[in-house]
Amino acid sequence: MQKTWSFKLTPFRYVLIGLAGIAVVTALARFVLGLGAVTNLSDEWPWGLWIGFDLLCGIALAGGGFSTALIVHVLHKEKYLPIARAALLTSLIGYIIALVSLLLDIGRWTNCWRPFFYWGFHSVLFEVFWCISLYTTVQVLEFGDIFFERVKIGPLKNILSKAMVPLTILGIVLPTLHQSSLGSLYIVTVDRLNPLWWSMIIPFFFVWSAFFLGPAMVTIEGTLAARAYNRKPETPIFSSLTKVTMCMLIVYFIVRMIDLNYHGVYSMAFNGSFESNMFLVEMILFVLVPIFMYAIPAIRNTQWGVLTASILVVAGVVFNRMNVVFTGMAQSAGGHYFPSIWEWLITLGMWSVLALAYLFVVENFPILVKEDHEQEGLSSGKSVSTGRSVEA
Amino acid sequence: MSKGVLVDVSRCIGCRSCMVACKTWNDLPATKTEFTNNWDAPGKTDAYNWTVVNYHLIEQGDQVKWRFVKRQCMHCDEPACESACFTHSFVKTKEGAVIYKPTELNQDYCVGCRYCMIACPFGVPSFQWDKALPFVQKCRFCYDRMKEEGLKPACVTACPTGTLTYGERDELLKEAWKRINSNPNYIKRVYGEKEYGGTSWLYISDVPFDEIGLKTTAYGKDVSEKSIPSLTWSVLKWTPYIFVGWGAILTALNFYTKRRDEVHHHEEMYEAVNTIEGKQDE
Ligand code: SF4
Ligand code: SF4
Ligand code: SF4
């Protein structure tokens, strides 16, 4: 293991640092001047890019953390171990982004600590708030387990190792709850959100899609990491994960169709309106197409095939959240909203920080799997770390 | 005990006395208005205009009528804004007013998340977009007048035509149906009796409600008669069961699938990627 911290600066990283810097300055301006001065939000559009994209999508994209944790640490499908840590890392960073965007977005930010003390438990937002805070803490602790492999502080590491099982379980239950409660947030929008997206079971759709997005996200992120660090992508692992995603996509599709039928709004999907077209794109391009791509071995087993399908799945979940926040609300909100340049800059800066943090961590902590282990594990088709038992 | 106001749209002459009274009593700043085609000025309630009178030109056959509709917070019986707020910043008082505690009672817990604005089916709560630390703003049913001085709301006092009647909600409802039943011109419906679980402000009218901007249908269906909090609660109440149940299932699965010989130390498996030899991202 390396002895010093390393972070090599490339031109690309300088750009990211620059973007992050701009975002920090903009964020300071936003705190001093207020939301109205910096954003294009209005009474008609009280929630915009930061809530719609950074929070809702950021958290959905972090779904890789809990679905992988469930598959690897609870179901003990050890062949997926190689991707477990990377998934945890992205998820953790995703949550931190979500928390930061929440802080940026709340108008009375000096009161941000209040919800810990005044419990509006009949509010869905209360559940979202608590789950996100707790789950971020859990993930920091889970990550601590990795952190102390590098920064050797024996006793702390031991305590954490003991707590790992309950932490892992909490680390699945909490995101299950609040991925779904992000959906429940929109139950209040009855008669406002277009019925193509509004449903009493929107919480189920949200948590379900966050879950099936996980493997797809892991695929994309793993491929990117492999490209960046000149490693071999773990394509066989990705391909075998597609089974999970495909089954879940099929269930998702069927339940959404049944739900539309139940509401009696099935015909609204084909009435040619802007909303109906967006809905059709969402269902056909981002749900049906990936199902078929995953179903065909000739596509699923190639690197480009599994990658393309995964990109579609991830884009589809983002597209779905955007439809809920913007497309579906447009008609009832009236007025129009397009994020201001400042909103874009802050969003860009936040995601730059995400990329930088990811790069720093994988270069300094044991996150990605050792190349030889990967080979050994995959060729034998057994648990990756056979015979490596160290602990008594 | 719960108070209300009955708005009889057929009596309103659009003089906007109520708007002026509201501004004066509540010390709201003047705002610049713009002319629009439908004579609305300003068209919607906002942080500094808690009530507005909208003008509507109604065409019925070859007849053309002007109708004027005062809009403000409806003071729902089970307010969506209250149930949405996770800092308890809204409350439905026993007098019937739905008030925002940070400005009304000086209990400043609001974080400005604006979920109340997403939740309100009538699009009422507004934000002080021009402030660095904005408050949410809306009609407060003149809670101070009602509670401390036993007075009617300022707008009701100011109305010269008897369009606005203040009283017990139950009594007002009876009065509303009495007027509807004794005059065939009225639409046979009290707007606010059942909508979203009922509201303290009630409307009756001689022209269809949807033509004067009161939402009766949404996406081709009648608006909900269930209150929004009841919808949310029907989902939210499952939370503790899911928490415990799902946790138990996971724990069981965890032990069931775990085999002893697979206990190993993951530490040996991973490595920090080598930045010296590895290709950098460009
Ligand atoms: S109309 Fe809107 S703001 Fe007024 S009480 Fe009802 S939900 Fe709250
Ligand atoms: S903006 Fe304030 S009052 Fe409205 S929901 Fe958020 S915390 Fe509650
Ligand atoms: S009740 Fe009071 S606050 Fe509400 S519109 Fe009338 S005058 Fe304004």
Side-chain angles (χ1 to χ4, degrees):
Chain A
M1 194 161 284
Q2 312 137 277
K3 287 280 168 291
T4 52
W5 303 100
S6 70
F7 195 63
K8 204 167 148 253
L9 287 168
T10 60
F12 176 67
R13 292 179 190 188
Y14 275 118
V15 173
L16 291 183
I17 293 173
L19 285 172
I22 296 173
V24 170
V25 176
T26 315
L28 288 178
R30 171 260 167 278
F31 282 130
V32 178
L33 300 175
L35 278 174
V38 177
T39 67
N40 280 348
L41 298 171
S42 63
D43 285 345
E44 287 76 45
W45 285 103
W47 285 2
L49 185 69
W50 298 341
I51 292 281
F53 187 70
D54 299 316
L55 182 87
L56 244 50
C57 294
I59 293 231
L61 295 183
F66 85 111
S67 41
T68 322
L70 176 59
I71 294 171
V72 174
H73 295 302
V74 172
L75 301 179
H76 293 284
K77 302 245 182 265
E78 307 249 328
K79 69 173 168 175
Y80 299 120
L81 257 180
I83 55 171
R85 286 191 169 185
L88 167 65
L89 174 64
T90 358
S91 172
L92 172 61
I93 303 176
Y95 271 83
I96 293 176
I97 292 239
L99 278 178
V100 173
S101 65
L102 245 184
L103 180 66
L104 279 171
D105 197 82
I106 57 177
R108 305 187 64 77
W109 53 274
T110 48
N111 273 351
C112 64
W113 52 277
R114 299 270 193 186
F116 283 115
F117 300 96
Y118 303 98
W119 290 20
F121 50 78
H122 44 50
S123 166
V124 182
L125 202 56
F126 175 76
E127 190 183 322
V128 172
F129 177 81
W130 271 93
C131 284
I132 293 184
S133 313
L134 285 178
Y135 182 48
T136 310
T137 316
V138 168
Q139 289 191 101
V140 169
L141 291 177
E142 284 181 318
F143 188 76
D145 196 41
I146 301 172
F147 183 79
F148 290 124
E149 284 174 12
R150 168 85 208 256
V151 185
K152 305 262 182 213
I153 307 176
L156 281 181
K157 165 101 180 141
N158 281 341
I159 297 173
L160 269 183
S161 305
K162 296 235 166 59
M164 234 38 217
V165 172
L167 275 182
T168 309
I169 296 204
L170 207 55
I172 297 168
V173 174
L174 287 175
T176 308
L177 278 179
H178 83 82
Q179 291 284 4
S180 68
S181 54
L182 283 178
S184 321
L185 278 182
Y186 279 84
I187 285 183
V188 297
T189 58
V190 59
D191 296 345
R192 301 188 86 194
L193 180 63
N194 190 297
L196 290 174
W197 290 282
W198 187 87
S199 161
M200 278 308 276
I201 58 169
I202 187 173
F204 165 77
F205 293 140
F206 265 54
V207 66
W208 195 256
S209 55
F211 195 96
F212 70 60
L213 165 133
M217 197 63 203
V218 165
T219 306
I220 296 177
E221 179 215 314
T223 316
L224 281 179
R227 282 273 298 276
Y229 295 110
N230 206 12
R231 300 153 56 92
K232 229 172 97 4
E234 281 126 78
T235 309
I237 295 191
F238 303 151
S239 307
S240 92
L241 270 176
T242 58
K243 238 183 296 161
V244 180
T245 322
M246 187 182 73
C247 295
M248 292 190 78
L249 275 169
I250 294 174
V251 172
Y252 179 75
F253 182 79
I254 294 174
V255 177
R256 275 194 78 171
M257 290 305 121
I258 295 177
D259 183 56
L260 282 190
N261 222 356
Y262 176 78
H263 283 129
V265 292
Y266 195 71
S267 57
M268 281 182 76
F270 304 99
N271 65 10
S273 64
F274 176 64
E275 285 91 346
S276 76
N277 292 336
M278 293 293 268
F279 176 80
L280 289 181
V281 172
E282 182 184 325
M283 294 321 276
I284 296 172
L285 182 61
F286 297 122
V287 177
L288 290 182
V289 172
I291 290 178
F292 285 113
M293 291 182 74
Y294 283 153
I296 302 168
I299 299 179
R300 153 177 29 118
N301 289 327
T302 60
Q303 203 200 318
W304 74 263
V306 71
L307 181 66
T308 317
S310 301
I311 291 177
L312 283 181
V313 171
V314 171
V317 174
V318 172
F319 195 73
N320 169 261
R321 302 301 191 261
M322 291 311 193
N323 278 339
V324 170
V325 187
F326 297 114
T327 318
M329 292 292 274
Q331 195 178 325
S332 63
H336 51 82
Y337 165 78
F338 192 80
S340 72
I341 172 86
W342 310 111
E343 293 178 78
W344 285 113
L345 283 177
I346 287 193
T347 294
L348 236 120
M350 277 199 288
W351 292 86
S352 305
V353 173
L354 182 144
L356 286 169
Y358 179 88
L359 292 169
F360 177 79
V361 176
V362 293
E363 285 169 18
N364 288 284
F365 290 96
I367 301 293
L368 300 178
V369 77
K370 281 183 186 161
E371 299 244 69
D372 54 325
H373 281 276
E374 177 194 8
Q375 297 313 324
E376 168 203 324
L378 291 173
S379 51
S380 65
K382 285 199 302 186
S383 166
V384 194
S385 41
T386 356
R388 288 244 158 215
S389 179
V390 177
E391 217 136 46
Chain B
M1 188 59 213
S2 187
K3 302 288 187 188
V5 170
L6 175 62
V7 185
D8 190 335
V9 174
S10 67
R11 296 188 183 181
C12 180
I13 56 169
C15 68
R16 295 196 167 115
S17 305
C18 50
M19 287 175 68
V20 176
C22 180
K23 284 233 172 196
T24 316
W25 180 260
N26 295 302
D27 281 329
L28 295 171
T31 47
K32 252 201 146 85
T33 53
E34 277 165 36
F35 271 111
T36 57
N37 278 342
N38 57 5
W39 295 31
D40 275 349
K44 280 192 74 158
T45 54
D46 61 33
Y48 306 111
N49 296 285
W50 294 350
T51 185
V52 295
V53 177
N54 291 152
Y55 282 38
H56 296 274
L57 196 58
I58 316 281
E59 291 176 41
Q60 284 179 333
D62 46 3
Q63 250 194 330
V64 176
K65 296 179 186 164
W66 277 108
R67 284 296 174 267
F68 316 103
V69 187
K70 178 187 185 300
R71 300 299 302 273
Q72 70 298 305
C73 168
M74 300 289 284
H75 298 277
C76 309
D77 291 348
E78 294 173 59
C81 55
E82 180 189 29
S83 77
C85 178
F86 70 140
T87 64
H88 269 316
S89 286
F90 278 102
V91 64
K92 172 87 177 172
T93 64
K94 63 180 191 318
E95 291 85 1
V98 176
I99 56 168
Y100 175 66
K101 294 199 281 187
T103 48
E104 194 76 29
L105 307 177
N106 226 345
Q107 299 178 356
D108 182 12
Y109 314 140
C110 170
V111 296
C113 67
R114 310 183 296 290
Y115 187 41
C116 47
M117 300 168 67
I118 297 279
C120 171
F122 302 103
V124 169
S126 305
F127 212 47
Q128 293 174 321
W129 296 103
D130 54 337
K131 295 273 167 69
L133 290 176
F135 282 117
V136 173
Q137 299 277 286
K138 69 170 195 67
C139 155
R140 53 194 180 124
F141 209 164
C142 287
Y143 184 59
D144 49 348
R145 292 170 63 99
M146 176 197 285
K147 195 174 153 70
E148 282 147 34
E149 301 166 45
L151 295 172
K152 298 174 182 177
C155 52
V156 176
T157 309
C159 179
T161 60
T163 303
L164 308 174
T165 315
Y166 173 77
E168 294 294 322
R169 184 178 186 269
D170 304 343
E171 307 284 316
L172 292 175
L173 235 125
K174 277 186 217 138
E175 169 67 19
W177 280 110
K178 212 173 84 202
R179 284 191 212 172
I180 291 173
N181 290 330
S182 61
N183 185 338
N185 288 338
Y186 281 108
I187 302 292
K188 300 261 167 290
R189 173 171 183 175
V190 180
Y191 192 90
E193 181 175 9
K194 299 208 182 89
E195 285 71 13
Y196 301 105
T199 60
S200 285
W201 282 61
L202 304 161
Y203 286 74
I204 53 174
S205 161
D206 59 346
V207 291
F209 289 107
D210 51 346
E211 289 184 37
I212 52 174
L214 290 158
K215 184 165 77 176
T216 55
T217 57
Y219 300 105
K221 283 199 178 157
D222 290 344
V223 296
S224 169
E225 288 193 356
K226 287 198 192 110
S227 76
I228 287 176
S230 71
L231 290 178
T232 317
W233 188 244
S234 66
V235 170
L236 214 53
K237 68 175 181 209
W238 293 101
T239 309
Y241 304 105
I242 297 176
F243 187 86
V244 174
W246 185 215
I249 294 175
L250 287 173
T251 313
L253 277 175
N254 179 50
F255 285 110
Y256 180 73
T257 55
K258 193 170 195 162
R259 272 155 290 160
R260 278 212 71 72
D261 57 316
E262 272 180 351
V263 177
H264 57 256
H265 214 269
H266 302 330
E267 196 166 329
E268 300 301 311
M269 210 177 119
Y270 304 95
E271 65 181 353
V273 286
N274 190 336
T275 46
I276 316 299
E277 286 158 40
K279 190 181 77 149
Q280 289 293 308
D281 50 300
E282 20 293 2

